[in-house]
Amino acid sequence: MTSYLSKLSPVPAFPNYTGPYKVGSIDVEIPVSELESPSPSPDSSISTVQYRIFYPCEPEAKGKTVNWIPAPQRDYLAGYSRFLGAGSTLAEFISFFPRLLHYISIPARKNAPLLQRPTTNSRWPVMIFSHGLGGSRNAYSHLVGSIASHGMIVIAPEHRDGSTPISYIRDVPSSTSSSTSSQSEKSSLRKNTKTVDYLRLSHTPSPEVEEGRNSQLKIRLWELGLIHDSILKLDDAATLTNLNTSSVSLSGFKGKMDVHTPGKITMAGHSFGAATMVQFVKSTFYSAQTSTAPSSYTPLFTPSSRSSIASQITKQTPLIMLDIWCLPLRAQSTRWLWNQPLPAYSQGGPGGAALLAIESQAFFKWRVHLKATKRLLSPDPSSFTPHSYKDADGQPIPEPNFYYAVSSAHLSQSDFGIIFPWATKRFLGIEEPDRILRLNVRAITQLLRNNSIEVGKTSHEDMELEDPNAVETDYDVKILSREGEVRAWNFISTDLGDMGDVDDEEDAQGKVEKTKSAGPSDAVIGNEIMKERGQLNGTATKL
C-alpha cells in the first residue's frame, strides 16, 4: 500500500531499504584543528571536514526523516540549477519554484540511536564512500543507506574541492561550547560560512586539466585522511566538536566501529569518487616507495609510514569502484602511481577477490575508457598485453569482480535515477532504476562477505526468487557469477585481447579525435550528460 500511495504522490520518493536493519543518519562537521592530518593541508581556507553517517539504528527509533536537500535548501537548489547549466540569475529564480523538491526525504531516522550489533563481533564494519562530480554527502543516500541496512556504518563525505554543485564550510568559533536552535542553525549557514561553488573543468586531457584535477584530488585525499582520523577518535571517545548543532552527540559510536583492525575499512566511490579512492589507497600503500619513483612523479598525498591510515590500508583492503572515471588518475605527473598495481595484487594478497568494479552500460560501451579501466584493474596497469593472472610461482590469481548492468547510465548508482525515473528514462535510457541499485547492493554485500566482513543477509525478494518458501541468504552466489545467472547483469573480462584497435594512451593525452574517443553522450561526466543531447536548456533544469 505504501509503495502504491508513493506513486500517487507528486513528491518524488525513495523506496524502502531492503536490508534487515532500520537505518539512522547523523550529519557531521568537525573542525580540522581537532584532527591529525597524515599529509599537509593543500588549502588553508578549508577549516572543517563534513560527512553524513548512515548506520543500523534501533528498530523502534522515532524521529524525523532526513531532508534530501540540505539547509539552506533554496541555495542548494540554485547551486544544482547552475550545475545543470542555468546562469546565476536564472538559477536563483528557479530555486523559488520547485517546492516539491523541498519535501523529498531520505528514509533514514535523523539522530536515531545506533543499534547494538547482534553478532559475534560487537563492532560494526565501516565503509567510506566518496562522491563523484555533482555529488554530495546526500546524493548517494539510497545506495549507502541500503548498504547500512545490511549492517554497516557508511561514512559519506562532502568534498570541498569544487566537485559539489555548492557546499558550505561553517566558521569555527573561538568557543564551540554554545548551542543554537535549529532555526538559527539555518540562518548561520548563510551568515557564518564560506561557500564553495562548483568548479568547471574540461573533460578533455590537457596540462591545465591535469593540474586542475590534481588540485581537486589533493583536497579530496587530505579530507579522507582527516575523516579517517575522525572516526578513530569517535571510536576512542575523544572529544570532537560537531558544528552541525541539529545533530545529537557523537558519543554513541564509542567502541562500536571496526576501524582499528588493518585492512578492515572498505573504500568505495562513484566516478570521480572511485578514482579518488584508487588514488587514496595507492598513494598510501606505496608512500614508502616514492623514493624509487622517477623525478617526474609528484605525489598528491604523502602520509608517513607511522600514520594510522598507513596501518589501515593493506593488501587486504576491499575496494569498490562504481563507474570509475580514469582520466584523473592518468596525469603525467602521477603516471608512476598509475603503473603500480592495486595493493590487492601484492605478494600474498587476495588479488581480484578484494576488488569490485561495476560499470554502467554507457561506460561499458565507451571502449577507449573501458580499456583503461581493464588495465587499472589488472595486476599490471603499465602493460598493453593480456594478463595471465598468475603469480611469480605460477599460481593462479583471482580476477577482479567486474560487471555492468544493462540499460544503466552513469547516474544510475546515484539517487537521481531513482528519484526522477521518468526523466532519466527519457533522456538517458535508464530502465528499472530501483532494480539496478539493488543489483549494485547485492554485489557489494557479497564482495564484503567474500572478504570476511560480516554483513546482513540478502532477502529472497532482492534475489528475485519466485519460490514463496525461499529464504534470505548470506551466500548470494549468483550475483558474482560469471555465467550470466542474473538477468541483465553481465560479467566483464579484463582480457585486453579484443581491444587491440583501441589506443587508450593516445586518448589519455587528448590526441585522439573526438569522433574516435568520445563515449556515448551519457558517459560524459557532469552536466554535459544532457548538454550533448541538446536538452540542457529545455529540460535538464527541471530535474
mmCIF file with all atom_site columns, all heavy atoms in Angstrom, residues 118-143:
data_model
loop_
_atom_site.group_PDB
_atom_site.id
_atom_site.type_symbol
_atom_site.label_atom_id
_atom_site.label_alt_id
_atom_site.label_comp_id
_atom_site.label_asym_id
_atom_site.label_entity_id
_atom_site.label_seq_id
_atom_site.pdbx_PDB_ins_code
_atom_site.Cartn_x
_atom_site.Cartn_y
_atom_site.Cartn_z
_atom_site.occupancy
_atom_site.B_iso_or_equiv
_atom_site.pdbx_formal_charge
_atom_site.auth_seq_id
_atom_site.auth_comp_id
_atom_site.auth_asym_id
_atom_site.auth_atom_id
_atom_site.pdbx_PDB_model_num
ATOM 1   N N   . PRO A 1 118 ? 24.059 -7.246  16.898  1.00 0.00 ? 118 PRO A N   1
ATOM 2   C CA  . PRO A 1 118 ? 23.608 -8.555  17.398  1.00 0.00 ? 118 PRO A CA  1
ATOM 3   C C   . PRO A 1 118 ? 24.371 -9.723  16.780  1.00 0.00 ? 118 PRO A C   1
ATOM 4   O O   . PRO A 1 118 ? 23.793 -10.685 16.290  1.00 0.00 ? 118 PRO A O   1
ATOM 5   C CB  . PRO A 1 118 ? 22.134 -8.571  16.977  1.00 0.00 ? 118 PRO A CB  1
ATOM 6   C CG  . PRO A 1 118 ? 22.129 -7.806  15.692  1.00 0.00 ? 118 PRO A CG  1
ATOM 7   C CD  . PRO A 1 118 ? 23.199 -6.743  15.829  1.00 0.00 ? 118 PRO A CD  1
ATOM 8   N N   . THR A 1 119 ? 25.688 -9.640  16.767  1.00 0.00 ? 119 THR A N   1
ATOM 9   C CA  . THR A 1 119 ? 26.510 -10.696 16.170  1.00 0.00 ? 119 THR A CA  1
ATOM 10  C C   . THR A 1 119 ? 27.669 -11.004 17.098  1.00 0.00 ? 119 THR A C   1
ATOM 11  O O   . THR A 1 119 ? 27.817 -10.429 18.169  1.00 0.00 ? 119 THR A O   1
ATOM 12  C CB  . THR A 1 119 ? 27.060 -10.252 14.803  1.00 0.00 ? 119 THR A CB  1
ATOM 13  O OG1 . THR A 1 119 ? 27.875 -9.085  14.997  1.00 0.00 ? 119 THR A OG1 1
ATOM 14  C CG2 . THR A 1 119 ? 25.937 -9.914  13.836  1.00 0.00 ? 119 THR A CG2 1
ATOM 15  N N   . THR A 1 120 ? 28.517 -11.920 16.676  1.00 0.00 ? 120 THR A N   1
ATOM 16  C CA  . THR A 1 120 ? 29.659 -12.330 17.500  1.00 0.00 ? 120 THR A CA  1
ATOM 17  C C   . THR A 1 120 ? 30.640 -11.187 17.710  1.00 0.00 ? 120 THR A C   1
ATOM 18  O O   . THR A 1 120 ? 31.280 -11.096 18.753  1.00 0.00 ? 120 THR A O   1
ATOM 19  C CB  . THR A 1 120 ? 30.383 -13.513 16.841  1.00 0.00 ? 120 THR A CB  1
ATOM 20  O OG1 . THR A 1 120 ? 30.710 -13.167 15.491  1.00 0.00 ? 120 THR A OG1 1
ATOM 21  C CG2 . THR A 1 120 ? 29.486 -14.741 16.829  1.00 0.00 ? 120 THR A CG2 1
ATOM 22  N N   . ASN A 1 121 ? 30.761 -10.321 16.717  1.00 0.00 ? 121 ASN A N   1
ATOM 23  C CA  . ASN A 1 121 ? 31.635 -9.158  16.832  1.00 0.00 ? 121 ASN A CA  1
ATOM 24  C C   . ASN A 1 121 ? 30.782 -7.961  17.227  1.00 0.00 ? 121 ASN A C   1
ATOM 25  O O   . ASN A 1 121 ? 29.823 -7.622  16.559  1.00 0.00 ? 121 ASN A O   1
ATOM 26  C CB  . ASN A 1 121 ? 32.332 -8.904  15.491  1.00 0.00 ? 121 ASN A CB  1
ATOM 27  C CG  . ASN A 1 121 ? 33.323 -7.757  15.562  1.00 0.00 ? 121 ASN A CG  1
ATOM 28  O OD1 . ASN A 1 121 ? 33.398 -7.020  16.536  1.00 0.00 ? 121 ASN A OD1 1
ATOM 29  N ND2 . ASN A 1 121 ? 34.108 -7.612  14.499  1.00 0.00 ? 121 ASN A ND2 1
ATOM 30  N N   . SER A 1 122 ? 31.129 -7.301  18.320  1.00 0.00 ? 122 SER A N   1
ATOM 31  C CA  . SER A 1 122 ? 30.323 -6.187  18.823  1.00 0.00 ? 122 SER A CA  1
ATOM 32  C C   . SER A 1 122 ? 30.523 -4.903  18.015  1.00 0.00 ? 122 SER A C   1
ATOM 33  O O   . SER A 1 122 ? 29.827 -3.914  18.252  1.00 0.00 ? 122 SER A O   1
ATOM 34  C CB  . SER A 1 122 ? 30.651 -5.916  20.290  1.00 0.00 ? 122 SER A CB  1
ATOM 35  O OG  . SER A 1 122 ? 32.016 -5.546  20.429  1.00 0.00 ? 122 SER A OG  1
ATOM 36  N N   . ARG A 1 123 ? 31.460 -4.910  17.074  1.00 0.00 ? 123 ARG A N   1
ATOM 37  C CA  . ARG A 1 123 ? 31.755 -3.709  16.289  1.00 0.00 ? 123 ARG A CA  1
ATOM 38  C C   . ARG A 1 123 ? 31.198 -3.850  14.868  1.00 0.00 ? 123 ARG A C   1
ATOM 39  O O   . ARG A 1 123 ? 31.337 -4.890  14.236  1.00 0.00 ? 123 ARG A O   1
ATOM 40  C CB  . ARG A 1 123 ? 33.267 -3.465  16.228  1.00 0.00 ? 123 ARG A CB  1
ATOM 41  C CG  . ARG A 1 123 ? 33.875 -3.101  17.584  1.00 0.00 ? 123 ARG A CG  1
ATOM 42  C CD  . ARG A 1 123 ? 35.391 -2.998  17.480  1.00 0.00 ? 123 ARG A CD  1
ATOM 43  N NE  . ARG A 1 123 ? 35.997 -2.593  18.746  1.00 0.00 ? 123 ARG A NE  1
ATOM 44  C CZ  . ARG A 1 123 ? 36.241 -1.340  19.084  1.00 0.00 ? 123 ARG A CZ  1
ATOM 45  N NH1 . ARG A 1 123 ? 35.960 -0.365  18.242  1.00 0.00 ? 123 ARG A NH1 1
ATOM 46  N NH2 . ARG A 1 123 ? 36.783 -1.049  20.248  1.00 0.00 ? 123 ARG A NH2 1
ATOM 47  N N   . TRP A 1 124 ? 30.589 -2.764  14.379  1.00 0.00 ? 124 TRP A N   1
ATOM 48  C CA  . TRP A 1 124 ? 30.068 -2.754  13.015  1.00 0.00 ? 124 TRP A CA  1
ATOM 49  C C   . TRP A 1 124 ? 31.196 -2.513  12.008  1.00 0.00 ? 124 TRP A C   1
ATOM 50  O O   . TRP A 1 124 ? 32.108 -1.728  12.267  1.00 0.00 ? 124 TRP A O   1
ATOM 51  C CB  . TRP A 1 124 ? 29.048 -1.631  12.850  1.00 0.00 ? 124 TRP A CB  1
ATOM 52  C CG  . TRP A 1 124 ? 27.792 -1.777  13.660  1.00 0.00 ? 124 TRP A CG  1
ATOM 53  C CD1 . TRP A 1 124 ? 27.494 -1.141  14.822  1.00 0.00 ? 124 TRP A CD1 1
ATOM 54  C CD2 . TRP A 1 124 ? 26.668 -2.604  13.359  1.00 0.00 ? 124 TRP A CD2 1
ATOM 55  N NE1 . TRP A 1 124 ? 26.257 -1.514  15.277  1.00 0.00 ? 124 TRP A NE1 1
ATOM 56  C CE2 . TRP A 1 124 ? 25.715 -2.416  14.388  1.00 0.00 ? 124 TRP A CE2 1
ATOM 57  C CE3 . TRP A 1 124 ? 26.361 -3.485  12.318  1.00 0.00 ? 124 TRP A CE3 1
ATOM 58  C CZ2 . TRP A 1 124 ? 24.487 -3.069  14.414  1.00 0.00 ? 124 TRP A CZ2 1
ATOM 59  C CZ3 . TRP A 1 124 ? 25.126 -4.137  12.333  1.00 0.00 ? 124 TRP A CZ3 1
ATOM 60  C CH2 . TRP A 1 124 ? 24.208 -3.934  13.367  1.00 0.00 ? 124 TRP A CH2 1
ATOM 61  N N   . PRO A 1 125 ? 31.140 -3.175  10.851  1.00 0.00 ? 125 PRO A N   1
ATOM 62  C CA  . PRO A 1 125 ? 32.107 -2.854  9.792   1.00 0.00 ? 125 PRO A CA  1
ATOM 63  C C   . PRO A 1 125 ? 31.839 -1.454  9.256   1.00 0.00 ? 125 PRO A C   1
ATOM 64  O O   . PRO A 1 125 ? 30.719 -0.925  9.363   1.00 0.00 ? 125 PRO A O   1
ATOM 65  C CB  . PRO A 1 125 ? 31.851 -3.921  8.727   1.00 0.00 ? 125 PRO A CB  1
ATOM 66  C CG  . PRO A 1 125 ? 30.431 -4.346  8.953   1.00 0.00 ? 125 PRO A CG  1
ATOM 67  C CD  . PRO A 1 125 ? 30.194 -4.223  10.440  1.00 0.00 ? 125 PRO A CD  1
ATOM 68  N N   . VAL A 1 126 ? 32.867 -0.845  8.669   1.00 0.00 ? 126 VAL A N   1
ATOM 69  C CA  . VAL A 1 126 ? 32.795 0.550   8.228   1.00 0.00 ? 126 VAL A CA  1
ATOM 70  C C   . VAL A 1 126 ? 33.213 0.668   6.766   1.00 0.00 ? 126 VAL A C   1
ATOM 71  O O   . VAL A 1 126 ? 34.166 0.015   6.322   1.00 0.00 ? 126 VAL A O   1
ATOM 72  C CB  . VAL A 1 126 ? 33.684 1.455   9.116   1.00 0.00 ? 126 VAL A CB  1
ATOM 73  C CG1 . VAL A 1 126 ? 33.753 2.880   8.558   1.00 0.00 ? 126 VAL A CG1 1
ATOM 74  C CG2 . VAL A 1 126 ? 33.157 1.473   10.554  1.00 0.00 ? 126 VAL A CG2 1
ATOM 75  N N   . MET A 1 127 ? 32.496 1.527   6.043   1.00 0.00 ? 127 MET A N   1
ATOM 76  C CA  . MET A 1 127 ? 32.834 1.873   4.667   1.00 0.00 ? 127 MET A CA  1
ATOM 77  C C   . MET A 1 127 ? 32.908 3.388   4.552   1.00 0.00 ? 127 MET A C   1
ATOM 78  O O   . MET A 1 127 ? 32.123 4.108   5.176   1.00 0.00 ? 127 MET A O   1
ATOM 79  C CB  . MET A 1 127 ? 31.764 1.351   3.698   1.00 0.00 ? 127 MET A CB  1
ATOM 80  C CG  . MET A 1 127 ? 31.916 1.823   2.253   1.00 0.00 ? 127 MET A CG  1
ATOM 81  S SD  . MET A 1 127 ? 30.511 1.332   1.186   1.00 0.00 ? 127 MET A SD  1
ATOM 82  C CE  . MET A 1 127 ? 30.773 -0.439  1.095   1.00 0.00 ? 127 MET A CE  1
ATOM 83  N N   . ILE A 1 128 ? 33.862 3.885   3.769   1.00 0.00 ? 128 ILE A N   1
ATOM 84  C CA  . ILE A 1 128 ? 33.916 5.302   3.409   1.00 0.00 ? 128 ILE A CA  1
ATOM 85  C C   . ILE A 1 128 ? 33.602 5.391   1.926   1.00 0.00 ? 128 ILE A C   1
ATOM 86  O O   . ILE A 1 128 ? 34.228 4.711   1.105   1.00 0.00 ? 128 ILE A O   1
ATOM 87  C CB  . ILE A 1 128 ? 35.285 5.920   3.710   1.00 0.00 ? 128 ILE A CB  1
ATOM 88  C CG1 . ILE A 1 128 ? 35.645 5.747   5.196   1.00 0.00 ? 128 ILE A CG1 1
ATOM 89  C CG2 . ILE A 1 128 ? 35.291 7.406   3.352   1.00 0.00 ? 128 ILE A CG2 1
ATOM 90  C CD1 . ILE A 1 128 ? 37.031 6.237   5.561   1.00 0.00 ? 128 ILE A CD1 1
ATOM 91  N N   . PHE A 1 129 ? 32.601 6.235   1.577   1.00 0.00 ? 129 PHE A N   1
ATOM 92  C CA  . PHE A 1 129 ? 32.133 6.320   0.194   1.00 0.00 ? 129 PHE A CA  1
ATOM 93  C C   . PHE A 1 129 ? 32.319 7.737   -0.333  1.00 0.00 ? 129 PHE A C   1
ATOM 94  O O   . PHE A 1 129 ? 31.754 8.696   0.189   1.00 0.00 ? 129 PHE A O   1
ATOM 95  C CB  . PHE A 1 129 ? 30.651 5.932   0.098   1.00 0.00 ? 129 PHE A CB  1
ATOM 96  C CG  . PHE A 1 129 ? 30.143 5.837   -1.316  1.00 0.00 ? 129 PHE A CG  1
ATOM 97  C CD1 . PHE A 1 129 ? 30.122 4.621   -1.971  1.00 0.00 ? 129 PHE A CD1 1
ATOM 98  C CD2 . PHE A 1 129 ? 29.700 6.966   -1.990  1.00 0.00 ? 129 PHE A CD2 1
ATOM 99  C CE1 . PHE A 1 129 ? 29.670 4.534   -3.289  1.00 0.00 ? 129 PHE A CE1 1
ATOM 100 C CE2 . PHE A 1 129 ? 29.244 6.894   -3.300  1.00 0.00 ? 129 PHE A CE2 1
ATOM 101 C CZ  . PHE A 1 129 ? 29.234 5.674   -3.952  1.00 0.00 ? 129 PHE A CZ  1
ATOM 102 N N   . SER A 1 130 ? 33.101 7.878   -1.411  1.00 0.00 ? 130 SER A N   1
ATOM 103 C CA  . SER A 1 130 ? 33.426 9.182   -1.998  1.00 0.00 ? 130 SER A CA  1
ATOM 104 C C   . SER A 1 130 ? 32.535 9.464   -3.206  1.00 0.00 ? 130 SER A C   1
ATOM 105 O O   . SER A 1 130 ? 32.386 8.628   -4.100  1.00 0.00 ? 130 SER A O   1
ATOM 106 C CB  . SER A 1 130 ? 34.897 9.203   -2.418  1.00 0.00 ? 130 SER A CB  1
ATOM 107 O OG  . SER A 1 130 ? 35.230 10.398  -3.089  1.00 0.00 ? 130 SER A OG  1
ATOM 108 N N   . HIS A 1 131 ? 31.935 10.659  -3.224  1.00 0.00 ? 131 HIS A N   1
ATOM 109 C CA  . HIS A 1 131 ? 31.011 11.021  -4.302  1.00 0.00 ? 131 HIS A CA  1
ATOM 110 C C   . HIS A 1 131 ? 31.746 11.505  -5.551  1.00 0.00 ? 131 HIS A C   1
ATOM 111 O O   . HIS A 1 131 ? 32.909 11.896  -5.523  1.00 0.00 ? 131 HIS A O   1
ATOM 112 C CB  . HIS A 1 131 ? 30.015 12.088  -3.831  1.00 0.00 ? 131 HIS A CB  1
ATOM 113 C CG  . HIS A 1 131 ? 30.630 13.432  -3.518  1.00 0.00 ? 131 HIS A CG  1
ATOM 114 N ND1 . HIS A 1 131 ? 31.047 14.312  -4.495  1.00 0.00 ? 131 HIS A ND1 1
ATOM 115 C CD2 . HIS A 1 131 ? 30.876 14.058  -2.331  1.00 0.00 ? 131 HIS A CD2 1
ATOM 116 C CE1 . HIS A 1 131 ? 31.521 15.410  -3.934  1.00 0.00 ? 131 HIS A CE1 1
ATOM 117 N NE2 . HIS A 1 131 ? 31.441 15.288  -2.620  1.00 0.00 ? 131 HIS A NE2 1
ATOM 118 N N   . GLY A 1 132 ? 31.017 11.513  -6.667  1.00 0.00 ? 132 GLY A N   1
ATOM 119 C CA  . GLY A 1 132 ? 31.561 11.982  -7.937  1.00 0.00 ? 132 GLY A CA  1
ATOM 120 C C   . GLY A 1 132 ? 31.219 13.437  -8.201  1.00 0.00 ? 132 GLY A C   1
ATOM 121 O O   . GLY A 1 132 ? 30.705 14.149  -7.328  1.00 0.00 ? 132 GLY A O   1
ATOM 122 N N   . LEU A 1 133 ? 31.504 13.900  -9.421  1.00 0.00 ? 133 LEU A N   1
ATOM 123 C CA  . LEU A 1 133 ? 31.193 15.276  -9.798  1.00 0.00 ? 133 LEU A CA  1
ATOM 124 C C   . LEU A 1 133 ? 29.682 15.503  -9.712  1.00 0.00 ? 133 LEU A C   1
ATOM 125 O O   . LEU A 1 133 ? 28.891 14.680  -10.181 1.00 0.00 ? 133 LEU A O   1
ATOM 126 C CB  . LEU A 1 133 ? 31.667 15.557  -11.220 1.00 0.00 ? 133 LEU A CB  1
ATOM 127 C CG  . LEU A 1 133 ? 33.171 15.512  -11.469 1.00 0.00 ? 133 LEU A CG  1
ATOM 128 C CD1 . LEU A 1 133 ? 33.466 15.822  -12.935 1.00 0.00 ? 133 LEU A CD1 1
ATOM 129 C CD2 . LEU A 1 133 ? 33.913 16.464  -10.561 1.00 0.00 ? 133 LEU A CD2 1
ATOM 130 N N   . GLY A 1 134 ? 29.292 16.628  -9.135  1.00 0.00 ? 134 GLY A N   1
ATOM 131 C CA  . GLY A 1 134 ? 27.881 16.926  -8.963  1.00 0.00 ? 134 GLY A CA  1
ATOM 132 C C   . GLY A 1 134 ? 27.252 16.219  -7.788  1.00 0.00 ? 134 GLY A C   1
ATOM 133 O O   . GLY A 1 134 ? 26.057 16.358  -7.535  1.00 0.00 ? 134 GLY A O   1
ATOM 134 N N   . GLY A 1 135 ? 28.056 15.453  -7.032  1.00 0.00 ? 135 GLY A N   1
ATOM 135 C CA  . GLY A 1 135 ? 27.540 14.721  -5.888  1.00 0.00 ? 135 GLY A CA  1
ATOM 136 C C   . GLY A 1 135 ? 27.658 15.517  -4.600  1.00 0.00 ? 135 GLY A C   1
ATOM 137 O O   . GLY A 1 135 ? 28.063 16.679  -4.582  1.00 0.00 ? 135 GLY A O   1
ATOM 138 N N   . SER A 1 136 ? 27.306 14.870  -3.513  1.00 0.00 ? 136 SER A N   1
ATOM 139 C CA  . SER A 1 136 ? 27.357 15.481  -2.188  1.00 0.00 ? 136 SER A CA  1
ATOM 140 C C   . SER A 1 136 ? 27.246 14.370  -1.155  1.00 0.00 ? 136 SER A C   1
ATOM 141 O O   . SER A 1 136 ? 27.167 13.186  -1.510  1.00 0.00 ? 136 SER A O   1
ATOM 142 C CB  . SER A 1 136 ? 26.209 16.479  -2.003  1.00 0.00 ? 136 SER A CB  1
ATOM 143 O OG  . SER A 1 136 ? 24.963 15.789  -1.949  1.00 0.00 ? 136 SER A OG  1
ATOM 144 N N   . ARG A 1 137 ? 27.181 14.752  0.100   1.00 0.00 ? 137 ARG A N   1
ATOM 145 C CA  . ARG A 1 137 ? 27.042 13.752  1.161   1.00 0.00 ? 137 ARG A CA  1
ATOM 146 C C   . ARG A 1 137 ? 25.672 13.083  1.141   1.00 0.00 ? 137 ARG A C   1
ATOM 147 O O   . ARG A 1 137 ? 25.477 12.041  1.759   1.00 0.00 ? 137 ARG A O   1
ATOM 148 C CB  . ARG A 1 137 ? 27.291 14.393  2.528   1.00 0.00 ? 137 ARG A CB  1
ATOM 149 C CG  . ARG A 1 137 ? 26.259 15.427  2.964   1.00 0.00 ? 137 ARG A CG  1
ATOM 150 C CD  . ARG A 1 137 ? 26.759 16.196  4.171   1.00 0.00 ? 137 ARG A CD  1
ATOM 151 N NE  . ARG A 1 137 ? 25.778 17.084  4.773   1.00 0.00 ? 137 ARG A NE  1
ATOM 152 C CZ  . ARG A 1 137 ? 25.472 18.293  4.341   1.00 0.00 ? 137 ARG A CZ  1
ATOM 153 N NH1 . ARG A 1 137 ? 26.066 18.771  3.248   1.00 0.00 ? 137 ARG A NH1 1
ATOM 154 N NH2 . ARG A 1 137 ? 24.577 19.032  4.974   1.00 0.00 ? 137 ARG A NH2 1
ATOM 155 N N   . ASN A 1 138 ? 24.702 13.684  0.431   1.00 0.00 ? 138 ASN A N   1
ATOM 156 C CA  . ASN A 1 138 ? 23.345 13.123  0.352   1.00 0.00 ? 138 ASN A CA  1
ATOM 157 C C   . ASN A 1 138 ? 23.033 12.474  -0.989  1.00 0.00 ? 138 ASN A C   1
ATOM 158 O O   . ASN A 1 138 ? 22.033 11.776  -1.116  1.00 0.00 ? 138 ASN A O   1
ATOM 159 C CB  . ASN A 1 138 ? 22.305 14.224  0.587   1.00 0.00 ? 138 ASN A CB  1
ATOM 160 C CG  . ASN A 1 138 ? 22.214 14.657  2.038   1.00 0.00 ? 138 ASN A CG  1
ATOM 161 O OD1 . ASN A 1 138 ? 23.017 14.260  2.869   1.00 0.00 ? 138 ASN A OD1 1
ATOM 162 N ND2 . ASN A 1 138 ? 21.232 15.480  2.343   1.00 0.00 ? 138 ASN A ND2 1
ATOM 163 N N   . ALA A 1 139 ? 23.854 12.682  -1.995  1.00 0.00 ? 139 ALA A N   1
ATOM 164 C CA  . ALA A 1 139 ? 23.484 12.340  -3.375  1.00 0.00 ? 139 ALA A CA  1
ATOM 165 C C   . ALA A 1 139 ? 23.481 10.848  -3.667  1.00 0.00 ? 139 ALA A C   1
ATOM 166 O O   . ALA A 1 139 ? 22.959 10.423  -4.705  1.00 0.00 ? 139 ALA A O   1
ATOM 167 C CB  . ALA A 1 139 ? 24.410 13.053  -4.362  1.00 0.00 ? 139 ALA A CB  1
ATOM 168 N N   . TYR A 1 140 ? 24.059 10.035  -2.778  1.00 0.00 ? 140 TYR A N   1
ATOM 169 C CA  . TYR A 1 140 ? 24.060 8.584   -2.948  1.00 0.00 ? 140 TYR A CA  1
ATOM 170 C C   . TYR A 1 140 ? 23.356 7.921   -1.754  1.00 0.00 ? 140 TYR A C   1
ATOM 171 O O   . TYR A 1 140 ? 23.667 6.805   -1.370  1.00 0.00 ? 140 TYR A O   1
ATOM 172 C CB  . TYR A 1 140 ? 25.492 8.052   -3.074  1.00 0.00 ? 140 TYR A CB  1
ATOM 173 C CG  . TYR A 1 140 ? 26.227 8.604   -4.273  1.00 0.00 ? 140 TYR A CG  1
ATOM 174 C CD1 . TYR A 1 140 ? 26.849 9.842   -4.219  1.00 0.00 ? 140 TYR A CD1 1
ATOM 175 C CD2 . TYR A 1 140 ? 26.286 7.893   -5.468  1.00 0.00 ? 140 TYR A CD2 1
ATOM 176 C CE1 . TYR A 1 140 ? 27.514 10.375  -5.325  1.00 0.00 ? 140 TYR A CE1 1
ATOM 177 C CE2 . TYR A 1 140 ? 26.950 8.407   -6.576  1.00 0.00 ? 140 TYR A CE2 1
ATOM 178 C CZ  . TYR A 1 140 ? 27.557 9.639   -6.494  1.00 0.00 ? 140 TYR A CZ  1
ATOM 179 O OH  . TYR A 1 140 ? 28.211 10.160  -7.577  1.00 0.00 ? 140 TYR A OH  1
ATOM 180 N N   . SER A 1 141 ? 22.380 8.639   -1.198  1.00 0.00 ? 141 SER A N   1
ATOM 181 C CA  . SER A 1 141 ? 21.767 8.201   0.052   1.00 0.00 ? 141 SER A CA  1
ATOM 182 C C   . SER A 1 141 ? 21.106 6.841   -0.064  1.00 0.00 ? 141 SER A C   1
ATOM 183 O O   . SER A 1 141 ? 21.115 6.060   0.894   1.00 0.00 ? 141 SER A O   1
ATOM 184 C CB  . SER A 1 141 ? 20.744 9.235   0.528   1.00 0.00 ? 141 SER A CB  1
ATOM 185 O OG  . SER A 1 141 ? 19.603 9.260   -0.312  1.00 0.00 ? 141 SER A OG  1
ATOM 186 N N   . HIS A 1 142 ? 20.513 6.530   -1.225  1.00 0.00 ? 142 HIS A N   1
ATOM 187 C CA  . HIS A 1 142 ? 19.809 5.252   -1.307  1.00 0.00 ? 142 HIS A CA  1
ATOM 188 C C   . HIS A 1 142 ? 20.796 4.089   -1.391  1.00 0.00 ? 142 HIS A C   1
ATOM 189 O O   . HIS A 1 142 ? 20.573 3.039   -0.764  1.00 0.00 ? 142 HIS A O   1
ATOM 190 C CB  . HIS A 1 142 ? 18.853 5.211   -2.490  1.00 0.00 ? 142 HIS A CB  1
ATOM 191 C CG  . HIS A 1 142 ? 17.846 4.101   -2.357  1.00 0.00 ? 142 HIS A CG  1
ATOM 192 N ND1 . HIS A 1 142 ? 16.860 4.095   -1.397  1.00 0.00 ? 142 HIS A ND1 1
ATOM 193 C CD2 . HIS A 1 142 ? 17.695 2.931   -3.031  1.00 0.00 ? 142 HIS A CD2 1
ATOM 194 C CE1 . HIS A 1 142 ? 16.151 2.998   -1.475  1.00 0.00 ? 142 HIS A CE1 1
ATOM 195 N NE2 . HIS A 1 142 ? 16.634 2.270   -2.461  1.00 0.00 ? 142 HIS A NE2 1
ATOM 196 N N   . LEU A 1 143 ? 21.862 4.261   -2.129  1.00 0.00 ? 143 LEU A N   1
ATOM 197 C CA  . LEU A 1 143 ? 22.879 3.206   -2.210  1.00 0.00 ? 143 LEU A CA  1
ATOM 198 C C   . LEU A 1 143 ? 23.529 2.971   -0.852  1.00 0.00 ? 143 LEU A C   1
ATOM 199 O O   . LEU A 1 143 ? 23.565 1.849   -0.346  1.00 0.00 ? 143 LEU A O   1
ATOM 200 C CB  . LEU A 1 143 ? 23.930 3.585   -3.253  1.00 0.00 ? 143 LEU A CB  1
ATOM 201 C CG  . LEU A 1 143 ? 25.099 2.615   -3.381  1.00 0.00 ? 143 LEU A CG  1
ATOM 202 C CD1 . LEU A 1 143 ? 24.646 1.314   -4.026  1.00 0.00 ? 143 LEU A CD1 1
ATOM 203 C CD2 . LEU A 1 143 ? 26.239 3.232   -4.186  1.00 0.00 ? 143 LEU A CD2 1
#
